[in-house]
Amino acid sequence: MASDDDLMQQAMTAADTVRSTTAPNPWVGAAIETTDGTIVTGATEPPGGAHAEIVALRAAGADARGSTLATTLEPCNHVGRTGPCVESIVDARVARVIIGVADPDEQVNGAGIRLLREAGIDVTVGVRADDVADQLAPYLHHRTTGRPYVLVKLATTVDGRTAAPDADSKWITGVEARTDSHRLRAESQAILVGAGTVRTDDPWLTTRLVEGPSPRRVVLGSAPADAKIQPCLEWRGELDGLLDELGSDGVLQLMIEGGPSTVAQFYDAGLVDRFVIYMAPAIFGGDDAKPMFRGTGAPTMDALARGRFVGVRLLGPDLRLDVVLD
């Protein structure tokens, strides 16, 4: 029989396959081990479709009776576009449910766990909780704050430069890193740059190197009518107001692609939740190339912002570094 950790890993793997297709719903995965040791998995379908638990229960069929079901997120207990997952789990006579993290959505928030236990099902909560919480971080943040999770993507040299002195930045990193960054676009419901980047680079900011949706495009300031980024939201107000508006529109993750002044604005305001830094094995070797940030930084070592590396991996010749600030 599979361990709880192994079964949850299979649920997380299933969730990864739908990361870009479920928003504003969470990308949940589920795995069912039947009494004979067979394991089937399911993942949340696009909005209006079945949740992960239902997909997995359909795959198990009558063999779901007496089974163990692992799900990355607490099953829902309310009627939305689909029926309550808790009811289907109880009706299928599942014997045990393993949950990664509780759902902070006010319509769930522990009620799904309580109803499963009241139905006599053995429930374990918190299996691979840290890993699941990282996988679902944008959703959990949105349901807790009402705002999108802010992810800053940067491509840099080893010495922390993002463009040459003449502003040319194509291409610091290789095709593997650029492809991965397009995957981030597909996983984000909105993407943002400053007006200076629009004038200098005239970017499309669409998803092209992978299959997946293109994010809604946002510019801090104004964009020319013929800019490739059009149509876009042009924002001139406070950043807090922008995040409130995007959150209310169902944006779970906002991806910021620059430039250095725009990144600095969000960072200085304490609004960045995660940095994804693609680092190339390249060095400018001077102080005249473009930095990751503009403006005044920490004045002392004691004032440095500290965080955690939550992911480090090779992408071709480059490194992807995922950093979450404390």
Side-chain angles (χ1 to χ4, degrees):
M1 302 295 282
S3 69
D4 289 1
D5 280 9
D6 288 342
L7 202 58
M8 186 60 70
Q9 179 59 58
Q10 296 206 41
M12 292 175 63
T13 299
D16 274 336
T17 66
V18 296
R19 175 65 179 81
S20 64
T21 62
T22 66
N25 296 328
W27 38 100
V28 176
I32 292 176
E33 183 173 27
T34 64
T35 55
D36 67 359
T38 300
I39 296 176
V40 297
T41 62
T44 300
E45 295 176 343
H51 291 181
E53 300 91 333
I54 305 302
V55 177
L57 286 170
R58 288 174 181 169
D63 291 336
R65 186 185 182 97
S67 68
T68 295
L69 182 152
T71 178
T72 55
L73 186 69
E74 176 184 2
C76 67
N77 62 300
H78 62 281
V79 176
R81 293 179 177 179
T82 61
C85 292
V86 166
E87 182 178 301
S88 295
I89 293 169
V90 173
D91 289 346
R93 304 292 180 88
V94 170
R96 183 167 180 248
V97 174
I98 302 166
I99 297 171
V101 295
D103 190 342
D105 188 292
E106 61 182 11
Q107 297 183 89
V108 188
N109 198 22
I113 295 168
R114 175 177 54 80
L115 290 173
L116 288 171
R117 285 173 172 159
E118 288 177 355
I121 294 175
D122 180 14
V123 180
T124 301
V125 182
V127 176
R128 300 285 298 275
D130 289 345
D131 294 330
V132 172
D134 187 61
Q135 184 181 56
L136 284 169
Y139 170 79
L140 299 175
H141 178 85
H142 180 270
R143 289 301 190 272
T144 303
T145 68
R147 292 179 170 183
Y149 188 79
V150 177
L151 181 152
V152 171
K153 169 257 175 180
L154 295 163
T156 79
T157 58
V158 171
D159 50 347
R161 302 293 168 164
T162 61
D166 65 358
D168 184 17
S169 62
K170 297 181 179 178
W171 297 103
I172 288 176
T173 56
V175 65
E176 294 91 345
R178 297 199 301 274
T179 300
D180 192 70
S181 72
H182 276 241
R183 189 170 295 107
L184 287 179
R185 289 182 180 182
E187 294 173 355
S188 303
Q189 293 72 56
I191 188 168
L192 180 146
V193 295
T197 296
V198 175
R199 292 191 298 270
T200 301
D201 297 339
D202 194 20
W204 291 99
L205 298 185
T206 54
T207 301
R208 300 184 302 280
L209 300 182
V210 299
E211 292 293 327
S214 290
R216 177 181 181 182
R217 295 174 288 185
V218 183
V219 174
L220 283 188
S222 301
D226 60 349
K228 293 173 183 174
I229 201 172
Q230 295 286 8
C232 65
L233 170 64
E234 297 172 298
W235 187 266
R236 300 175 187 82
E238 296 293 325
L239 298 182
D240 286 324
L242 172 63
L243 296 184
D244 288 338
E245 179 170 319
L246 293 176
S248 67
D249 285 345
V251 174
L252 304 186
Q253 179 165 287
L254 170 64
M255 180 177 176
I256 298 176
E257 284 214 7
S261 296
T262 298
V263 171
Q265 285 185 61
F266 278 87
Y267 172 75
D268 291 342
L271 298 175
V272 177
D273 297 298
R274 191 185 197 103
F275 286 94
V276 174
I277 302 170
Y278 298 99
M279 181 178 291
I283 298 173
F284 275 108
D287 61 4
D288 54 346
K290 307 299 181 183
M292 290 191 286
F293 296 85
R294 291 284 190 196
T296 302
T300 66
M301 290 299 293
D302 288 342
L304 282 177
R306 299 281 183 177
R308 296 171 287 119
F309 286 113
V310 295
V312 179
R313 58 189 170 103
L314 278 171
L315 294 170
D318 306 313
L319 275 177
R320 171 174 162 167
L321 307 173
D322 284 52
V323 179
V324 174
L325 297 180
D326 293 331

